[in-house]
Amino acid sequence: MFNPDEIIFAATSLCNLHCPHCFVDRKNCSLKTEDAVSFLKSERESQISSIEKIGFSGGEPFLAMDFLCGVIKYAVGESFLFDRIMTNGDWWKSAGELRTALQKIYDAGYDGKIGLSYDAFHAQSEERIAAFIQTAWEIFGDGSVEIQSVVGGGAANLSEKLKSLAAAMNLSYEENISKSGRGIAFLSDDEHHLGVDIQTESYQSTDSRAFKSKKWFREDFCEGAGQVLFVHPTGDIAPCCGFANENAELSIGKITDSFDSVMENAYKNRMIKICYEEGLSRQIKILKKQKKIPAGKTDDSCTFCDWVCRNCF
């Protein structure tokens, strides 16, 4: 059942990049530090909470530095653990601005991972990404950065991009990528180790490429998308970090609500029951009997969740 152990704050919808595979709704809005702190206080007062970790996403979270530092300082005082800050690593205008920003979140007490989105979709400068990684290593130490990459239409182009980054940083490169395009890679030397998690592109259910798989997704009761509360830049809260959480059917409250109120809404939410208790794959059988199933198959549970949200309520 739904029992979140992490809160991810999407600090802002602002971003300096415009990636073609991004699903963030650009409403030019940002979260307020006082609202996030108030919500975390209500979580700490709750008798039903199992929240342990805090994470940050966006948009580009480093465009909301005051929010990051304010929430980090409060979270440290309340003994929350940190998961990761997801960033494109390319938001800074000068090396001085980069170092100052990273030093600020370090001084605020952040000791989690820095998740770096780097692939052909983001199209960042190799030199700037190398500078970002090296600066983060200098401030946070080895192992502080991990790369998350999305590959579309095969892994070959991404492999060459990662190999080129490794060469620019004088690191060795190795990879283990399946036929589907998913896999892992490592950039390393005697002092540094940089892991890469490689995933295939996800498609909204309205995309013509969405239902072209040879098989259905493997049921995991949404553990893949995580047991999280995802706070959108609008303040709306959803139960997962998958792109389907943009749908109103997965909305369970606002950041200005109490933690207990949000969880009460979650327990009553039909989509959460489907995803975390009954299993999305059970809906395939139900919809087949009703002859409402989409044409084709998808191996991405978020795509199917998006389709159910759009078509079954």
Side-chain angles (χ1 to χ4, degrees), residues 172-202:
S172 64
Y173 179 82
E174 57 182 310
E175 66 179 30
N176 183 1
I177 301 176
S178 68
K179 292 181 179 180
S180 69
R182 299 182 180 96
I184 55 175
F186 300 97
L187 290 70
S188 61
D189 61 13
D190 292 339
E191 296 181 9
H192 302 104
H193 181 87
L194 181 59
V196 185
D197 177 51
I198 301 171
Q199 297 294 330
T200 52
E201 184 179 2
S202 289

Side-chain angles (χ1 to χ4, degrees), residues 51-255:
I51 299 296
E52 298 177 348
K53 297 177 290 185
I54 303 295
F56 299 94
S57 182
E60 172 50 58
F62 278 96
L63 297 181
M65 281 297 298
D66 288 344
F67 179 86
L68 283 185
C69 292
V71 174
I72 288 168
K73 288 177 181 178
Y74 177 79
V76 168
E78 292 296 320
S79 300
F80 284 102
L81 302 176
F82 293 112
D83 185 4
R84 60 177 58 83
I85 299 175
M86 287 304 306
T87 177
N88 61 47
D90 197 35
W91 41 267
W92 45 281
K93 294 181 176 64
S94 68
E97 180 186 9
L98 169 61
R99 181 172 293 276
T100 297
L102 292 178
Q103 189 67 51
K104 278 185 177 180
I105 64 168
Y106 178 83
D107 292 343
Y110 185 77
D111 59 0
K113 294 284 188 180
I114 297 176
L116 174 61
S117 296
Y118 180 65
D119 47 43
F121 291 105
H122 290 81
Q124 306 104 316
S125 159
E126 179 180 282
E127 292 75 18
R128 285 172 60 81
I129 290 302
F132 176 87
I133 294 169
Q134 288 168 338
T135 304
W137 279 345
E138 290 170 10
I139 295 173
F140 290 92
D142 176 50
S144 56
V145 181
E146 57 185 16
I147 294 177
Q148 296 191 11
S149 298
V150 175
V151 58
N157 292 337
L158 178 61
S159 293
E160 293 306 313
K161 191 174 182 68
L162 292 171
K163 287 177 183 177
S164 180
L165 177 63
M169 299 182 68
N170 295 315
L171 302 173
S172 64
Y173 179 82
E174 57 182 310
E175 66 179 30
N176 183 1
I177 301 176
S178 68
K179 292 181 179 180
S180 69
R182 299 182 180 96
I184 55 175
F186 300 97
L187 290 70
S188 61
D189 61 13
D190 292 339
E191 296 181 9
H192 302 104
H193 181 87
L194 181 59
V196 185
D197 177 51
I198 301 171
Q199 297 294 330
T200 52
E201 184 179 2
S202 289
Y203 304 114
Q204 290 181 307
S205 61
T206 53
D207 193 299
S208 60
R209 299 167 292 178
F211 291 91
K212 300 293 186 182
S213 302
K214 295 181 180 180
K215 59 183 180 180
W216 285 105
F217 56 89
R218 180 180 62 85
E219 182 62 67
D220 69 350
F221 296 92
C222 287
E223 287 296 329
Q227 287 276 6
V228 305
L229 290 179
F230 189 94
V231 186
H232 290 278
T234 57
D236 295 301
I237 300 177
C240 72
C241 60
F243 70 84
N245 71 11
E246 295 280 352
N247 286 286
E249 288 73 17
L250 282 167
S251 179
I252 52 177
K254 303 281 290 186
I255 193 174

